[in-house]
Amino acid sequence: MPRFGVLGPLTIESPPGRRTTPRGDHQRALLAVLLLNANSSVPVDALVEALWPETPPKSYSSNLHTYVSRLRARFEGLEIERDPRGYRLVVEPADLDLLSFREAAAAGKAAARAGDPAVAAGHYRRALAEWRGPVLSGLHVPRLDADVARLESERLAAFEDCVDAELSDGRHGELTGELQAMITEHPLRERLAAQLMIALHRAGRQADSLAVHRELRATLVEELGVEPGAEVRRVHAAVLRGEDPVPSAKPAPIFPICQLPPDIADLAGREHEIAKLSGLLGEGTGVPVAVITGEPGAGKSTLAVSTAHRLRRSFPDGQLFVPLAGASNPRELADVLGDLLRALGVTGPAIPDDVEARAAVYRGRLADRRVLVVLDDAASPEQARALLPGTPGSAILITSRQRLSGLAGASRLHLAPLSGAEAMTLLERLAGPDRVDAERADAERIAKACGNLPLALRIAGSRLAMRPGMPLGKLAGKLEDEVSRLDELQVSDLQVRGSIALSYQALSPAARRAFRLIGRCRTLDLPAWAVSTLINDTADEEAEEAIDELVEASLLEATGLDPTGEQRFRVHDLVRVFATELGRELETHAERVASVAKVSDAALCLADTAARRLPRTVPMPLSDQDVPAQPLPAELVERLLRDPGTWFSVERANLVAAVSSLCAVGWRRKALRILERLSAYLYLHSHYTDMRTAYETLRDAAREADDRHIAVIAEANLTVLLHARGEYERAVEGYRECSKELAELGDSSAQAWVETNLARCLVGLGRAGESLHAATQARELSTVEETGPGAYARHAESAALHRLGKISEALEIDRRILALARECGDERQLGVALQGLSWSLMLDGRQEEALETIEESVRVLRRTTAKSALAKSLRTQGAILAGAGRRVGAVKAYENARRLAGALEERPRELSCTRAIAASWIGDGRADRAIPVLRRCLDEFRAMGGKPATGLTLHVLRRAYEAVGETKAAEAAGEEAKRLEVPHDANASTLVRLLLSLTEPAPA
């Protein structure tokens, strides 16, 4: 059996040490997918997507079979099985470096838990030795991007666990150099910093240990605006006191995690059910799955939450609570997984687009953990099955109206109504024991009329609590008069509706109206401003009383204040469905539309004001059309939007959901206006997944309605996201198509933005002539030169001229941009203009002027929130300082720029800064360390299609190879770099000179 390698280039080593590789990209991709999913069945659809990411051939099935057969024939002993779902590659852990790595890391973790750090460290070092470089370096399979990213995270976690073990074993003296190198690559990694502080302190270097804390804190405060976490602060305090920090102390930024709602204080009975569930969830060697079924109102969710709280000690890594809304509008699996991944620390572009990839990352996060996952109100076996953890230790507790018979291996508990004694106990806790004891017979009548269902009993008890003077006999008589409703309380789904209707009838007229109005909001999490907007036809005092009445009746739940200081409310989804149906019966369509329009208008106006207070970084227009007057009071708006970013973060999920809801009722233009404003926040913070989801929803709705204009605007924004993630070729194709359609539709403003983005993208691909043409067209389409696409087009035009060697023309443009920016008075525009001019001056040989200009740019941008622009200026400052021979300052500027770009998830800029820092390592005599970093940069730049960036990286890599004596590799890199050179590209030639200056040894 050959030994396979994926932790580095794809390798197959057959005895005695002979290395081979499959012929052809498709066979290599097929083998890579099977190896990364070793011993697991890979569906045919997933394999087809991996081999043919665009459009598979009609004969894909036979082609796939052929590739599998060729692999079997080429590698003796290779075992690939066919099953009903797809193909499985069967391999022993010793025959695949990935499995060997995980086996050794698991052994290390077990030894650490057993209190044997020396043995643990040995296992971890054996695991880390399996890595030869980036996963599948030299082979890019888009279908595997999420798996590759997850494996890199596993590698870093294993290294940190190894350091903990070695620190516990007293081997701090051997770790300082290795930790300092890792900190350089991961400057924001607090766990690494804490470990380095411990190692330095134990080595008698207290001052150096404190210096690590100072640098980490300065970086976190400057770049992210946050202080170090609790673990770093604890280590810092111990070092200051001269004490030894706790050995093997590990920060836990994610685990343990607890998302459970509060345990209910007045739970009655259910002790037998809780004991049975506790036994089911703690038994077996796999992943135990328990399903609670029963009629609506039986208390399934209450029982699940209470059980989960009692089992918290059995699941020390935490408890996840996942509302699936199966009773009304089942949530999309992609959205559920997105929320779970964010809760587990996965953000931005690290969240895959593909649902199966998201599920894989989710399972990876829970691997070898003891977590209890509560899936509340599951709609189907399929919805629940995708959320099952993949490794023993964790458990699943599910509530559902359905039995979920298709969920194999699940244990089921059917939840019956309460017993008579339990029902009386619940009423006592709600209405008061003395009151119930005094009217025991009437209390029993109430319980019987409610069918002993907890939801119905809670509603009845709430009415009694709201009216302390009401005799229990009076309420019992009312319930018994509602014969038809009480009969329905004993049959399936109508039982809960009857209970809710009974509570509704007990409300005051104002509260009834408020109940129906609140039911029109499609979100379960309501801010007070939305509630007040819905019911603002009544006096403020009457509206507050109506809300209080709903809260007391358990039809509306007050969940506390959000970060803006606004009260939040939650409506149970079944209650909301009932209220919506009631509104349809009692009110006209026009009345329902008017109330929903008021809330959406308020949301749009708040989003508009908030967006205009944030820096406009998303390169697409912000239309002023169709924005109504703000219906909310000015003082409320100011309080909510005191920090516009906080308001957007609080309402982000609701606004994304609002886009979908508005599209569903045909209000696409309002959905677009809200999304344009929300994008100001999402793009600024790299929340690309939410942007993509919302714009795809809008685009699909517009296409279905044959609304070409909104469809193309949505598509243009989706193309911006491709551009931001470095998918330049696809972005160029998208921009061209959008520009063509916008021209046909006569929208010259949006077309100008698209052409500007096209120009910027073409520069990244090294197509300067096309870029200049697009920039010129964008400028001609723009009506205002000082702002909007006109100004952006000028920047793109200058960048294209650099690459065409027309520096004097670029200088003239940049001076004009700077003059307009100074007249405008906007510091962000001024900083960006100064950056552009500084680089033109540098290309023109005016080094001192360039240095003065870029320093002013950095000073100006530091006073703004425009972190992306600051990162770009810092990168330019690093290049200019390198040209001036100020090596230390240049590297520092590049490091600061990389930290910012990394935090913003701007991968192309982060890579270019990494390349420059690696160049400086060559000059420091650390070329062997620079080579693997430069290779990773090269792979990513090639994948993006950026020829200029690829050529620059090859030049630096050539110098690194020369430094370590790898002559052939140096010649190959140099020849490839020459083939990519473009005549007259002043930008590339200057950057080559500046980067290579960093590779020279620093002067003594």
Side-chain angles (χ1 to χ4, degrees), residues 415-429:
L415 195 59
L418 296 174
S419 67
E422 290 170 342
M424 295 303 294
T425 300
L426 180 55
L427 278 177
E428 287 175 354
R429 292 177 178 176

Side-chain angles (χ1 to χ4, degrees), residues 462 466 507 545-558 569:
S462 297
M466 288 164 48
L507 298 174
E545 290 178 355
I547 292 172
D548 289 343
E549 192 175 346
L550 291 175
V551 171
E552 290 298 319
S554 299
L555 295 174
L556 185 67
E557 179 186 359
F569 297 97

Side-chain angles (χ1 to χ4, degrees), residues 183-194:
I183 282 285
T184 302
E185 290 187 39
H186 307 280
L188 299 178
R189 191 83 174 186
E190 293 190 39
R191 186 179 178 190
L192 287 174

Side-chain angles (χ1 to χ4, degrees), residues 108 302 397 567:
T302 298
L397 179 56
Q567 176 69 56

Side-chain angles (χ1 to χ4, degrees), residues 66 164 168 184 327 549 929:
T66 300
D164 277 341
S168 296
T184 302
E549 192 175 346
R929 181 183 168 199

Side-chain angles (χ1 to χ4, degrees), residues 764-788:
L765 286 170
R767 291 151 66 176
E770 295 177 63
S771 173
L772 182 61
H773 175 75
T776 303
Q777 184 169 347
R779 185 163 48 81
E780 291 172 352
L781 287 167
S782 303
T783 57
V784 181
E785 182 181 6
E786 294 83 356
T787 59

